Amino acid sequence: MQKPNAADGIPAGKVITDPDSLGRYAHDEAEWAPAGLPLAVVRPQDTEEVRAVVAYCARHRIPVVPRGAGTGLSGGANAVDGAVVLSFEDMNRILRIDPVERLAVVQPGVVNDDLRAACAEQGLWYPPDPASSPWSTIGGNAATNAGGMCCVKYGVTRDYVLGLEAVNGLGEIVRMGRRTAKGVAGYDLCGLFVGSEGTLGVITEITVKLRGARPPERTVAGFFDSVVAAGDAVSRVTAAGVVPSALELLDRHCLKAVDAWKNMGLSADADAILLGRVDTPGAAGDAEAETIRAAFAEAGAAWAEVSTDQAEADALFQARRLAYPALERLGPVLTEDVVVPRSRVPQMLARIEEIAGEHEVLIANIAHAGDGNLHPLIITEPGDDAARARAQLAFEEILDAAIAFGGTVTGEHGVGLLKMGGMDREVGPVNLAMQRAVKAALDPYGILNPGKVVVSGAPLAH
Amino acid sequence: MQKPNAADGIPAGKVITDPDSLGRYAHDEAEWAPAGLPLAVVRPQDTEEVRAVVAYCARHRIPVVPRGAGTGLSGGANAVDGAVVLSFEDMNRILRIDPVERLAVVQPGVVNDDLRAACAEQGLWYPPDPASSPWSTIGGNAATNAGGMCCVKYGVTRDYVLGLEAVNGLGEIVRMGRRTAKGVAGYDLCGLFVGSEGTLGVITEITVKLRGARPPERTVAGFFDSVVAAGDAVSRVTAAGVVPSALELLDRHCLKAVDAWKNMGLSADADAILLGRVDTPGAAGDAEAETIRAAFAEAGAAWAEVSTDQAEADALFQARRLAYPALERLGPVLTEDVVVPRSRVPQMLARIEEIAGEHEVLIANIAHAGDGNLHPLIITEPGDDAARARAQLAFEEILDAAIAFGGTVTGEHGVGLLKMGGMDREVGPVNLAMQRAVKAALDPYGILNPGKVVVSGAPLAH
């Protein structure tokens, strides 16, 4: 990158180009996705600096890759060669929490848990709770439309983003969305930006909707002899008409990995665990918890109880949180993020077991089972290139199976680099052409996180 | 319209061109919006016929104006000269209601209340409840992102549209969105289409999310001596942290008009009425109802009670439903649809009273007060052209006041023709240029409901 001068509005001291830093900012947590070498990293302090950088890059046709905490799992924040990485850790202020209007205004670098803690102090709740919440940022969450455990009842990030400020592909500052409860003034550009992974603009401020403080939760645990039986329990819960505030699944590979690391003694008891939560207050909540317990039992749970011991319940959810890092200790993890209709969860889990067998790879399953969002994790021995190739075949077959069941290739991680082929197969050529046309319209120079989500934009035409 | 031949895929018998029919299909219920004269009306039977019509129109550069029941209040469904109006009353089948996945798949011409009734038979609930629900269609509701009374707790149409099938500006069939609980495979084209008022494509099938059967509601009524005091009560309810399942306001003009028509004796008791509803089950719901009652009392209500008489409660909500037709009996109604932050409701109501006085026009207020969505209704004597001109000045001043309070010019009726100027002032030039670029990208021939929402599209460039 030609060092910008004062006239460009980018203080030269803000431009980081030492190789160590560049390497650190070059990739997210999608270990299997390719990453390029950035030209420079800029850590902007405010919207005006973001504007100056993007305008400079637009003039010189330099790619811009925005980046939150780099916890993404699809390669969406990976650098491309010659790009300027815009990293938001210095724009991490909560600008406003408004208890009357029930909204918060934050800079993109605010960490999810920090926002949640600040809201809790005022008796408010920001629901989206991706597993990365201790590290991931609201900007990254908005860019990927992040999900989490409570989505099954409370929705995803898009359901909470009321308004955005962003810098578009021409380096212009734009406000989208609203601060009010409703609004239909024109196209929903705000919703379009959520989940667009930095390919349509760079988010510089986010206004999110808040809810009142969350009521206490009851936990229902079920231990099963097979992952397919656990999947059947999920279908039964859905069919019973209960909407749990969480419904998580862990299979035996996860339980073993957690035991090997933390010695929690879970894998001796079950081949799969379901963890349900209910936060409806009073007798109605008691009835929901009992309905979930009964559904677990009817699906053949070896053990199913509404927990009366908070410490035990917390330990089970702690195992859920530890599962991913525990599996990462075994080798490189290729993370899936498919969603199938809830009634298809058992068949999809059976199909994943088949695919693992056919390709001789280890596939562990963590799932936000209550909304059919499965995270099969394909794990290979470090350095085993043949296994790596088999894992990639299994990865694409899982995507195809999800599509065949009427599902989607990504529920909450985003397309990034890893799901581009799968998305193309899922949405079909007309939808894809329309996405490309939108990309071309809003990023006419093709500088915004190029090569992610959709390949080069093109106008729509016969 | 040159009569299409068999090769175009449009049976000539489907093309209606007699002047009476053309007139009937030329406008929606926005009495003040201009309407052109269509060339022809087509009532398609299936998606393939829609495709054939749009493809024909794309080839011949003929405008296409899609239309549901024509209950819109912004002129979004008004014909433009020389257009083909696509009217969906014959595509009115509910294709599927799935209790396990909690979704329904419908054709665009299904009437909102018909879908709600069919869902109720299976213990399910489709929440969006615009006042037009006995007549308006799910296609029209999706095209305008319709709201209603229960939005304050349950969200708007966009929150329920999971997937769409549509015909784009090239006459191609496209599927957008998903059938699963979550999904982030590419840009949210589905959400972008919702509320785009037929300017980006013609919706041919809608997949909507359903909820479990609605629990019974309690009603809280408050009678106030001034509309501003009622507005203050709304702010107090919000500040108390209660989310009612409805919170509706009627001012003295509405009460008088209802009395003049139906002799319900309401206007003798109050200058403004607030009607709250709560559907949280059990003791928690009782507590919420009492909190609302107390907020009404603290704001100075002459009378505030949790209703124990269902007949009385129903009569009050019946008055709410009758208010709009009762006012229409007085003369042409110019309908506003502004939203302000909830804490600004009292100031906005005061400002509307000022504007009515300054311009010597009658402005009645109906409001979805709980989400700050006000419907000031400007009413003039039939044939009084001077009053009409003053009404139009008042209309634009109300929009500017809403913008100044941090609000929006339209909460649920859409931009159509009446709010184009207001939207431009609200969103600013960069946002507007981006909307136009999206329009140009997805409707390259400019045939889709042209002249509505955004004027002619243009690519984004310096």
Side-chain angles (χ1 to χ4, degrees):
Chain A
M1 185 179 182
Q2 188 188 331
K3 281 273 176 188
N5 59 43
D8 295 313
I10 312 164
K14 294 273 169 67
V15 180
I16 303 165
T17 54
D18 71 281
D20 276 3
S21 298
L22 296 186
R24 213 169 58 235
Y25 286 100
H27 54 82
D28 64 17
E29 288 183 12
E31 301 175 54
W32 292 56
L37 187 69
L39 206 56
V41 173
V42 178
R43 293 169 50 157
Q45 307 295 314
D46 57 31
T47 298
E48 176 49 32
E49 289 188 4
V50 178
R51 190 208 59 72
V53 169
V54 178
Y56 180 90
C57 290
R59 249 187 333 272
H60 298 281
R61 305 294 193 265
I62 297 169
V64 176
V65 179
R67 175 187 179 83
T71 59
L73 291 163
S74 296
N78 281 9
V80 298
D81 284 335
V84 170
V85 171
L86 271 172
S87 186
F88 282 92
E89 59 261 72
D90 297 337
M91 284 178 71
N92 63 352
R93 281 187 304 134
I94 297 173
L95 302 173
R96 185 154 76 98
I97 294 179
D98 184 333
V100 174
E101 299 299 335
R102 290 201 166 186
L103 57 81
V105 183
V106 303
Q107 290 186 315
V110 169
V111 169
N112 179 301
D113 273 358
D114 292 347
L115 174 60
R116 290 152 64 83
C119 291
E121 279 177 21
Q122 304 201 31
L124 295 166
W125 177 35
Y126 174 69
D129 58 350
S132 60
S133 66
W135 312 282
S136 68
T137 63
I138 302 298
N141 292 172
T144 56
N145 190 19
M149 290 211 287
C150 73
C151 302
V152 59
K153 182 162 183 175
Y154 291 102
V156 294
T157 301
R158 179 176 288 121
D159 299 314
Y160 291 89
V161 176
L162 284 173
L164 291 173
E165 179 194 73
V167 174
N168 73 12
L170 302 186
E172 298 168 330
I173 298 167
V174 61
R175 286 198 163 269
M176 298 167 283
R178 57 188 205 274
R179 278 177 286 171
T180 49
K182 292 155 82 177
V184 290
Y187 302 147
D188 184 16
L189 295 179
C190 176
L192 182 68
F193 266 56
V194 175
S196 67
E197 304 184 36
T199 64
L200 301 179
V202 181
I203 295 169
T204 52
E205 189 188 284
I206 305 119
T207 301
V208 296
K209 186 159 63 173
L210 304 176
R211 298 180 67 102
R214 186 171 197 172
E217 292 178 298
R218 299 160 189 73
T219 296
V220 189
F223 286 42
F224 296 84
D225 290 336
S226 81
V227 73
V228 176
D232 180 38
V234 171
S235 293
R236 286 169 189 267
V237 169
T238 306
V242 174
V243 181
S245 51
L247 185 53
E248 299 289 309
L249 178 146
L250 292 178
D251 77 358
R252 64 180 176 283
H253 304 300
C254 300
L255 300 174
K256 280 182 186 161
V258 171
D259 282 346
W261 189 23
K262 299 287 179 182
N263 198 23
M264 291 176 74
L266 296 164
S267 56
D269 296 331
D271 247 24
I273 289 182
L274 275 182
L275 300 175
R277 275 184 164 164
V278 163
D279 66 0
T280 304
D286 293 338
E288 287 180 5
E290 171 52 26
T291 301
I292 293 173
R293 192 207 58 76
F296 287 5
E298 282 156 25
W303 185 83
E305 291 291 341
V306 180
S307 179
T308 51
D309 177 348
Q310 192 58 39
E312 177 196 69
D314 289 348
L316 289 169
F317 272 91
Q318 179 67 0
R320 164 67 184 87
R321 271 185 290 272
L322 291 172
Y324 191 82
L327 290 162
E328 278 189 310
R329 295 171 72 242
L330 306 182
V333 175
L334 184 55
T335 307
E336 285 280 12
D337 174 41
V338 294
V339 190
V340 293
R342 284 173 270 230
S343 60
R344 300 306 193 104
V345 167
Q347 292 107 302
M348 185 67 195
L349 287 167
R351 182 77 191 104
I352 291 165
E353 285 197 334
E354 278 173 26
I355 291 170
E358 285 162 17
H359 294 285
E360 297 174 50
V361 287
L362 174 64
I363 305 184
N365 281 288
I366 303 177
H368 302 309
D371 36 36
N373 187 188
L374 312 183
H375 294 308
L377 306 171
I378 312 174
I379 299 153
T380 54
E381 295 276 334
D384 184 342
D385 286 346
R388 225 178 140 87
R390 294 198 307 276
Q392 269 164 330
L393 291 175
F395 182 88
E396 297 297 333
E397 277 189 30
I398 290 172
L399 300 187
D400 290 337
I403 295 168
F405 280 126
T408 177
V409 300
T410 177
E412 56 182 17
H413 293 173
V415 174
L417 292 165
L418 293 180
K419 297 289 172 65
M420 288 177 71
M423 179 184 85
D424 293 2
R425 302 199 293 279
E426 176 182 335
V427 304
V430 178
N431 180 304
L432 197 63
M434 288 167 67
Q435 290 194 52
R436 287 182 181 169
V438 168
K439 165 74 172 170
L442 296 181
D443 180 23
Y445 306 133
I447 60 163
L448 296 171
N449 209 5
K452 317 289 175 62
V453 188
V454 289
V455 197
S456 63
L460 202 64
H462 279 296
Chain B
M1 184 178 182
Q2 189 187 331
K3 280 271 176 191
N5 59 43
D8 295 312
I10 312 164
K14 294 273 169 67
V15 180
I16 303 165
T17 54
D18 72 280
D20 276 3
S21 298
L22 295 186
R24 212 167 60 235
Y25 286 101
H27 53 83
D28 64 17
E29 289 184 10
E31 301 175 56
W32 293 54
L37 187 68
L39 205 55
V41 174
V42 178
R43 291 168 51 156
Q45 308 294 312
D46 57 32
T47 298
E48 176 49 33
E49 289 189 2
V50 178
R51 190 208 57 72
V53 169
V54 178
Y56 179 91
C57 290
R59 250 185 336 270
H60 298 279
R61 306 294 193 265
I62 297 169
V64 176
V65 179
R67 174 188 180 83
T71 59
L73 291 164
S74 296
N78 281 8
V80 298
D81 284 336
V84 171
V85 171
L86 272 172
S87 185
F88 282 92
E89 59 262 73
D90 296 337
M91 284 179 71
N92 62 353
R93 282 186 304 134
I94 296 172
L95 302 172
R96 186 155 74 98
I97 294 178
D98 185 331
V100 173
E101 300 298 336
R102 290 200 167 186
L103 57 81
V105 183
V106 303
Q107 291 187 314
V110 169
V111 169
N112 179 299
D113 273 359
D114 292 346
L115 174 60
R116 291 153 64 84
C119 291
E121 279 177 22
Q122 303 202 33
L124 295 166
W125 178 35
Y126 174 69
D129 58 349
S132 60
S133 66
W135 312 282
S136 69
T137 64
I138 302 298
N141 293 173
T144 56
N145 190 20
M149 289 211 287
C150 73
C151 301
V152 59
K153 183 163 183 175
Y154 292 102
V156 294
T157 301
R158 180 177 286 120
D159 298 315
Y160 292 87
V161 176
L162 284 173
L164 291 174
E165 179 193 75
V167 174
N168 72 13
L170 302 185
E172 298 167 329
I173 298 167
V174 61
R175 286 198 163 269
M176 299 167 283
R178 57 189 206 274
R179 278 177 286 171
T180 49
K182 291 156 82 176
V184 290
Y187 302 148
D188 184 15
L189 295 179
C190 177
L192 182 67
F193 266 56
V194 175
S196 67
E197 304 184 37
T199 64
L200 301 178
V202 181
I203 295 169
T204 52
E205 188 188 285
I206 305 117
T207 301
V208 296
K209 185 159 63 174
L210 304 175
R211 299 179 66 102
R214 185 170 198 173
E217 292 177 298
R218 299 162 188 73
T219 297
V220 189
F223 286 42
F224 296 84
D225 291 336
S226 81
V227 73
V228 176
D232 180 39
V234 171
S235 293
R236 287 170 188 267
V237 169
T238 306
V242 174
V243 181
S245 52
L247 185 53
E248 299 289 309
L249 178 147
L250 292 179
D251 76 358
R252 65 179 175 282
H253 304 300
C254 300
L255 299 174
K256 280 182 187 160
V258 172
D259 282 346
W261 189 23
K262 300 286 178 182
N263 197 23
M264 291 176 74
L266 295 164
S267 56
D269 296 330
D271 247 23
I273 289 182
L274 275 183
L275 300 175
R277 275 184 164 164
V278 163
D279 67 359
T280 305
D286 294 338
E288 287 180 5
E290 170 52 27
T291 302
I292 292 174
R293 192 208 58 76
F296 287 5
E298 282 157 25
W303 184 82
E305 291 291 341
V306 180
S307 179
T308 51
D309 177 348
Q310 192 58 42
E312 177 195 68
D314 289 347
L316 289 169
F317 272 90
Q318 179 68 0
R320 163 66 183 87
R321 271 184 292 272
L322 291 172
Y324 191 82
L327 290 162
E328 278 189 309
R329 295 172 72 243
L330 306 181
V333 175
L334 185 54
T335 306
E336 286 280 12
D337 174 40
V338 294
V339 190
V340 294
R342 282 173 272 232
S343 60
R344 299 306 192 103
V345 168
Q347 291 107 305
M348 185 67 195
L349 287 168
R351 181 77 190 105
I352 291 166
E353 286 198 333
E354 278 173 25
I355 291 171
E358 286 162 17
H359 294 284
E360 297 174 52
V361 287
L362 174 64
I363 305 184
N365 280 289
I366 303 177
H368 302 309
D371 37 35
N373 187 187
L374 312 183
H375 293 308
L377 305 172
I378 312 174
I379 299 153
T380 54
E381 295 277 335
D384 184 342
D385 286 345
R388 226 179 140 86
R390 294 198 306 275
Q392 269 164 329
L393 290 175
F395 182 88
E396 297 297 333
E397 277 190 28
I398 290 171
L399 299 187
D400 290 337
I403 295 169
F405 280 126
T408 177
V409 299
T410 177
E412 57 183 16
H413 294 173
V415 174
L417 291 164
L418 294 180
K419 296 290 173 65
M420 288 177 71
M423 178 183 85
D424 293 2
R425 303 199 293 278
E426 176 184 334
V427 305
V430 178
N431 181 305
L432 197 63
M434 288 167 67
Q435 289 195 52
R436 288 182 180 169
V438 167
K439 166 73 172 171
L442 296 181
D443 179 24
Y445 306 133
I447 61 164
L448 295 171
N449 207 5
K452 316 288 175 65
V453 187
V454 290
V455 197
S456 63
L460 203 63
H462 280 296

